[in-house]
């Protein structure tokens, strides 16, 4: 069953709030610190990295590229939110293996990324083509958005067991402005069968 939420970030925060309260976390690609600061408020001891120096200051994490950074010690939780799609394909498997190496056995990874094949992506791609524009997945720095099955294969290949998949966003903007039902689906989230059709996917994985 899909439930309405404010945006995909709200769904991510909900996933994090439901995790067992452990102690240490690493947040890679921290951005302005929404995730790292949320974890701190929940009582986690958080280290992290962000490639933008100004945002790193806001997030209170190291100014570093996630591909060349590591936490000071093994951790219970790694968060990788909206990062992997910014990397070239050859860097994605090594990054996931690196994240696994930071985690204790049975540690948790929470990863989110847009997926290549979803109803929203399909419609937005058609709309961009009609306008003579190149589709950029809402962000021109999204250079390697993965199909769902490919991302899941990379996760399992890196040493993770997928515990939960949450899909977010089931209606494109063009539909949302015309229909109340589509407005509710615009940032709806689901962990059921609908999850695979979400424009954005949030994975909770266990290190094995």
């Amino acid at each position: 069953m899909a439930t309405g939420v404010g945006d995909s970030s709200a769904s991510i925060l909900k996933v994090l709030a439901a995790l067992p309260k452990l102690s240490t976390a690493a947040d890679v690609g921290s951005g302005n610190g929404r995730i790292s600061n949320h974890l701190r408020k929940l009582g986690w001891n958080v280290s992290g990295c962000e490639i933008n120096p100004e945002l790193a200051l806001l997030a209170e994490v190291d100014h570093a590229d996630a591909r060349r950074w590591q936490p000071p010690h093994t951790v219970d939780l790694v968060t990788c939110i909206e990062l992997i799609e910014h990397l070239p394909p050859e860097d994605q498997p090594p990054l996931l293996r690196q994240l696994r190496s930071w985690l204790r056995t049975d540690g948790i990874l929470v990863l989110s990324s847009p997926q290549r094949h979803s109803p929203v992506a399909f419609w937005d791609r058609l709309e961009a083509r009609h306008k003579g524009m190149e589709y950029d997945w809402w962000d021109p720095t999204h250079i390697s958005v993965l199909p769902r099955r490919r991302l899941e294969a990379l996760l399992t290949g890196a040493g993770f067991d997928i515990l939960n998949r949450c899909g977010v966003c089931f209606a494109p903007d063009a539909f949302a402005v015309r229909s109340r039902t589509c407005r509710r689906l615009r940032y709806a989230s689901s962990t059921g069968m609908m999850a695979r059709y979400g424009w954005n996917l949030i994975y909770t994985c266990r290190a094995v």
Side-chain angles (χ1 to χ4, degrees), residues 81-97:
I81 306 302
E82 308 302 305
L83 170 64
I84 196 167
E85 66 274 11
H86 295 270
L87 303 179
E90 62 270 19
D91 288 348
Q92 292 171 337
L95 175 72
L96 293 176
R97 291 194 296 269

Side-chain angles (χ1 to χ4, degrees), residues 26 28 66-71 74-75 78 80 83-84 87-105 107-109 111 146 150-161 205-208:
V28 294
R67 292 165 290 186
R68 290 178 283 278
W69 178 85
Q70 63 179 27
T74 55
V75 294
V78 171
C80 182
L83 170 64
I84 196 167
L87 303 179
E90 62 270 19
D91 288 348
Q92 292 171 337
L95 175 72
L96 293 176
R97 291 194 296 269
Q98 177 177 298
L99 302 186
R100 170 61 187 90
S101 73
W102 301 343
L103 283 163
R104 300 182 177 95
T105 301
I108 297 295
L109 167 70
L111 179 145
L146 292 164
R150 173 60 177 160
L151 177 53
E152 292 177 1
L154 290 180
L155 286 167
T156 56
F160 292 103
D161 180 21
C205 307
R206 182 179 63 231
V208 295

Side-chain angles (χ1 to χ4, degrees), residues 2 13 39 48 86 109 118 125 167 177 179 187 189 193 198 204:
L13 298 184
L39 288 171
H86 295 270
L109 167 70
S118 70
R125 192 183 292 109
V177 298
S179 160
Y187 282 117
S189 66
M193 288 296 294
T204 304

Side-chain angles (χ1 to χ4, degrees), residues 171-185:
D173 291 340
F175 291 2
V177 298
R178 298 189 181 105
S179 160
R180 181 176 299 177
T181 299
C182 286
R183 280 197 296 275
R184 288 198 297 268
L185 289 172

Side-chain angles (χ1 to χ4, degrees), residues 12-182:
I12 293 164
L13 298 184
K14 185 177 179 181
V15 168
L16 294 174
L19 294 176
K21 298 300 186 292
L22 299 172
S23 58
T24 56
D27 180 41
V28 294
S30 297
N32 64 9
R34 181 168 190 185
I35 300 301
S36 54
N37 289 327
H38 179 74
L39 288 171
R40 290 179 184 118
K41 289 177 182 177
L42 292 175
W44 294 81
N45 178 11
V46 182
S47 57
C49 66
E50 166 54 44
I51 200 167
N52 182 309
E54 295 177 356
L55 294 180
L57 283 174
L58 286 175
E60 299 181 40
V61 297
D62 295 333
H63 169 218
D65 188 315
R67 292 165 290 186
R68 290 178 283 278
W69 178 85
Q70 63 179 27
H73 43 67
T74 55
V75 294
D76 301 303
L77 170 70
V78 171
T79 52
C80 182
I81 306 302
E82 308 302 305
L83 170 64
I84 196 167
E85 66 274 11
H86 295 270
L87 303 179
E90 62 270 19
D91 288 348
Q92 292 171 337
L95 175 72
L96 293 176
R97 291 194 296 269
Q98 177 177 298
L99 302 186
R100 170 61 187 90
S101 73
W102 301 343
L103 283 163
R104 300 182 177 95
T105 301
D106 292 331
I108 297 295
L109 167 70
V110 175
L111 179 145
S112 72
S113 178
Q115 69 154 323
R116 193 163 196 85
H117 303 141
S118 70
V120 171
F122 176 76
W123 177 263
D124 284 352
R125 192 183 292 109
L126 286 179
E127 189 174 39
R129 184 179 298 175
H130 177 71
K131 295 177 180 178
M133 300 167 57
E134 185 176 348
Y135 181 46
D136 62 6
W137 306 93
W138 300 355
D139 184 339
T141 65
H142 288 176
I143 61 173
S144 186
V145 176
L146 292 164
R148 173 181 59 84
R149 290 182 179 177
R150 173 60 177 160
L151 177 53
E152 292 177 1
L154 290 180
L155 286 167
T156 56
F160 292 103
D161 180 21
I162 298 171
L163 302 177
N164 187 59
R165 178 180 62 214
C166 177
V168 182
C169 187
F170 298 94
D173 291 340
F175 291 2
V177 298
R178 298 189 181 105
S179 160
R180 181 176 299 177
T181 299
C182 286

